[in-house]
């Protein structure tokens, strides 16, 4: 089977600056749940941008489902949760309106949403447990519930790859655990490939079998239990 | 009041602008670029001045300048990585300076210029009305067709980009709609006040509405009401129409803020 993600010997630097990534190699098979962690400035976001085809590596190749990532032809099947600061969480929108935006690429840009797309949106809302809040304004929800709404938005694309960038940032510890359990369940039930990117991985440590640490390159790739003791402490990951 | 030809003309042209300005402004406000209308207004001023200098219709030259300026801001923001406020500042000051230089070259610091700066809705002609109606209909139809796409980008631009939505094209189109709105609104509320009609009804609506669609529709209703009430007040009070319209829109913001506070006070704490 073609891997969902393949990076081979990827180098990247911003505008003649020092390299942010060197010789990064990563293969993620379809159906895996992988956490990508590392310190701020370590290259996680750059890695993410390259594997989503939003940035071209200076050297090496990036493939999405076997196609060059920057020319990937089935983008409508990518579910992506951007960092919270980049989301319009203060827009006067309901949960349903936010989740409906996830059908934009798959459902077409023009005119109102079709009945079949509305059903997919309703299922995504139910999957994250927000049925009762479906028509509530986003601004009246807690931080954790808002993140669930945006996860539902990503699910509304019926994704083959779900990429979550810092999904637990700004969310209290209780809600972080709840989000981790939700993601584990969605991964299992929908059999979707999940990439969970965060500067710390405590919230998903117990639900992922594979952890990738990025620090100017990929410095660790394996089960969280194999992580060297010093790196296990999130404060070392931050360093 | 409506038995007078010029008032009927003013209400007709004003109604188009009262709907189009908040319809376009809605997406601009969601993207936190509320001042883009102001910056593009100054570019339109340069267009008006150029029209005077070369003897072309100031409305058409303003239309070209405003749409061109709006697309330039979007290009600077998206392609050159310039911060949104810096791109706007560049447009704002360059447009104003170019306008002043061109107007002085044309020797037209006169009442005709003030009509564009502050609006002259009572001098709207039939050809003005036709232009406003046709371009307004094009603008509103475009917004209606692309409402879902523009709303989706306002909620999550990066997510839309990753999913393959043509975000850059839609952003340029929205910028062009801002330019179009500024150009056709300047005879109604004036270059210096047009941005207010794009933003204030939207702010008022977002204070009380409980969904994006309701907020959008309420913004249109408030824009229309601002124009109608403002024109009526200006007719009976012998006041400047553009200023009266914008003051009514500002009053809606104050009222909506008060109403929103009362409503939120009744909602149980989360």
């Amino acid at each position: 089977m073609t891997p969902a993600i393949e990076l081979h010997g990827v180098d990247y630097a911003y505008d003649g600056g020092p390299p942010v990534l060197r010789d990064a190699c990563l293969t993620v098979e379809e159906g895996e749940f992988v956490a990508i962690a590392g310190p701020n400035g370590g290259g996680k976001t750059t890695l993410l941008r390259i594997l989503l085809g939003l940035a071209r590596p200076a050297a090496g190749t990036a493939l999405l489902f076997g196609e060059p990532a920057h020319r990937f032809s089935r983008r409508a099947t990518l579910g992506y949760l951007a960092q919270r600061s980049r989301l319009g969480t203060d827009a006067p929108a309901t949960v349903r309106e936010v989740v409906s935006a996830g059908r934009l690429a798959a459902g077409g840009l023009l005119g109102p949403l079709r009945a079949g797309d509305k059903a997919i949106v309703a299922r995504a809302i139910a999957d994250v447990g927000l049925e009762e809040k479906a028509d509530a304004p986003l601004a009246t929800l807690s931080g954790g519930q808002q993140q669930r709404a945006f996860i539902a938005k990503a699910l509304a694309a019926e994704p083959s790859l779900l990429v979550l960038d810092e999904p637990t940032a700004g969310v209290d510890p209780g809600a972080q655990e709840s989000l981790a359990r939700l993601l584990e369940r969605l991964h299992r039930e929908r059999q979707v490939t999940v990439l969970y990117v965060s500067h710390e991985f405590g919230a998903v440590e117990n639900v992922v079998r594979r952890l990738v640490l990025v620090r100017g390159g990929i410095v660790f790739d394996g089960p969280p239990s194999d992580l060297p003791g010093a790196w296990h402490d999130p404060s070392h990951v931050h360093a | 009041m409506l038995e007078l030809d010029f008032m009927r003309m003013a209400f007709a042209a004003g109604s188009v602008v009262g709907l189009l300005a908040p319809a376009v402004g809605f997406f601009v406000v969601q993207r936190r670029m509320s001042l883009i209308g102001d910056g593009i207004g100054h570019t339109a001023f340069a267009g008006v001045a150029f029209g005077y200098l070369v003897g072309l219709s100031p409305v058409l030259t303003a239309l070209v300048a405003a749409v061109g300026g709006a697309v330039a801001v979007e290009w600077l923001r998206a392609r050159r990585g310039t911060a949104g406020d810096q791109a706007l500042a560049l447009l704002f000051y360059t447009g104003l300076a170019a306008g002043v230089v061109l107007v002085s070259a044309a020797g037209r610091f006169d009442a005709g210029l003030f009509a564009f700066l502050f609006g002259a809705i009572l001098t709207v002609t039939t050809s003005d009305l036709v232009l406003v109606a046709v371009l307004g209909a094009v603008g509103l139809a475009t917004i209606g067709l692309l409402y879902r796409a523009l709303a989706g980008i306002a909620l999550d631009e990066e997510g839309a980009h990753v999913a393959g939505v043509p975000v850059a094209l839609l952003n340029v189109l929205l910028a062009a709609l801002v330019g179009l709105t500024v150009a056709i609104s300047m005879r109604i509320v004036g270059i210096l006040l047009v941005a207010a009609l794009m933003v204030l009804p939207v702010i008022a609506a977002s204070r009380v509405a409980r969904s994006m669609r309701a907020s959008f529709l309420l913004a249109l209703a408030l824009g229309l009401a601002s124009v109608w009430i403002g024109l009526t007040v200006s007719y009976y009070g012998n006041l400047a129409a553009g200023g009266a319209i914008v003051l009514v829109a500002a009053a809606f913001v104050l009222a909506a803020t008060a109403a929103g506070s009362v409503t939120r006070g009744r909602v149980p704490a989360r």
Side-chain angles (χ1 to χ4, degrees), chain B residues 2-54:
Chain B
L2 288 176
E3 66 274 13
L4 299 168
D5 264 356
F6 69 88
M7 283 308 291
R8 282 201 299 275
M9 209 80 90
F11 267 86
S15 298
V16 175
V17 170
L19 290 172
L20 181 63
V24 173
F26 182 76
F27 301 102
V28 169
V29 170
Q30 306 308 333
R31 296 180 55 198
R32 299 181 184 178
M33 289 190 74
S34 297
L35 294 178
I36 191 172
D38 232 355
I40 290 165
H42 287 72
T43 316
F45 172 55
V48 168
F50 182 75
Y52 277 148
L53 188 66
V54 299

Side-chain angles (χ1 to χ4, degrees), chain B residues 130-160:
Chain B
V130 169
L131 187 68
V132 167
V134 170
L135 294 180
V138 168
L140 283 168
T142 307
I143 292 281
L145 209 56
L146 291 172
Y147 170 84
R148 206 160 47 79
L150 294 171
I153 292 172
L155 285 167
D156 182 7
E157 181 167 342
E158 204 167 281

